[in-house]
Amino acid sequence: MSASSPPTPAAPSTIRDLPSWLLGRAAARGRGLVAEALAGQGLKMWHYVVLSAVADRQPVAQADLVRGVGLDPKDMVGVLNDLQAAGLVERTPDPKDRRKNAVTVTAEGARLVDTCATAARAANDELLAPLTAGERDRFMDMLRRVAGVGGGAAGVGSAGHG
């Protein structure tokens, strides 16, 4: 995997050492590596995010997915349409409220989530390759604190997913 891109011009001196700028550059590189890994599995980033969220929370109401992953409702419909057409999710009337759709992952979708999770972890390993194992642990601890998220089990927005 190599998300190689043409060299970027040096950042202006007033911003190149700002943590926010450096985090943004690292995030862009990480997203590129993960997007490349997911493309190898036939998925785009938002498709993987939504598929992972469905797998974690199923059965889940479409509206709860929108709130959970922060995707615009119109975009969510398109992503779910794509995932359903590919046989990765199913939408059925929610047994608790038949006016809503409940979304579940298919067996094929669950297999793809596992495959993509492995690919995303490998992409993140490439991102963090310059660090030793101890440095990675410390970096991840500091990054969680800076991002304002707790440690523990990996979620949709964790480093393991994107």
Side-chain angles (χ1 to χ4, degrees):
M1 228 179 290
S2 69
S4 60
S5 57
T8 54
S13 61
T14 57
I15 66 168
R16 73 174 145 233
D17 288 327
L18 293 175
S20 55
W21 188 84
L22 290 168
L23 284 168
R25 297 289 305 147
R29 181 168 177 258
R31 279 190 301 276
L33 289 167
V34 172
E36 184 179 316
L38 295 176
Q41 302 303 319
L43 279 186
K44 294 179 182 174
M45 187 73 77
W46 274 114
H47 290 79
Y48 175 59
V49 170
V50 171
L51 187 60
S52 293
V54 172
D56 282 351
R57 302 173 186 157
Q58 67 180 339
V60 60
Q62 201 165 305
D64 292 339
L65 275 174
V66 167
R67 285 187 294 275
V69 301
L71 186 60
D72 181 89
K74 291 176 189 167
D75 293 332
M76 179 64 76
V77 169
V79 169
L80 286 174
N81 285 346
D82 293 346
L83 293 173
Q84 188 169 11
L88 303 174
V89 300
E90 294 177 343
R91 286 183 280 192
T92 57
D94 188 326
K96 298 176 202 157
D97 184 346
R98 305 217 30 99
R99 297 169 295 173
K100 296 180 181 179
N101 281 327
V103 186
T104 56
V105 70
T106 64
E108 184 180 348
R111 280 190 297 275
L112 189 57
V113 166
D114 290 343
T115 300
C116 287
T118 299
R121 280 190 299 275
N124 278 278
D125 285 345
E126 183 175 340
L127 176 68
L128 299 180
L131 305 178
T132 66
E135 288 171 331
R136 286 180 187 205
D137 290 343
R138 289 189 302 280
F139 177 73
M140 289 302 298
D141 177 59
M142 289 183 280
L143 193 55
R144 285 183 189 99
R145 286 187 280 152
V146 168
V149 298
V156 169
S158 74
H161 291 289

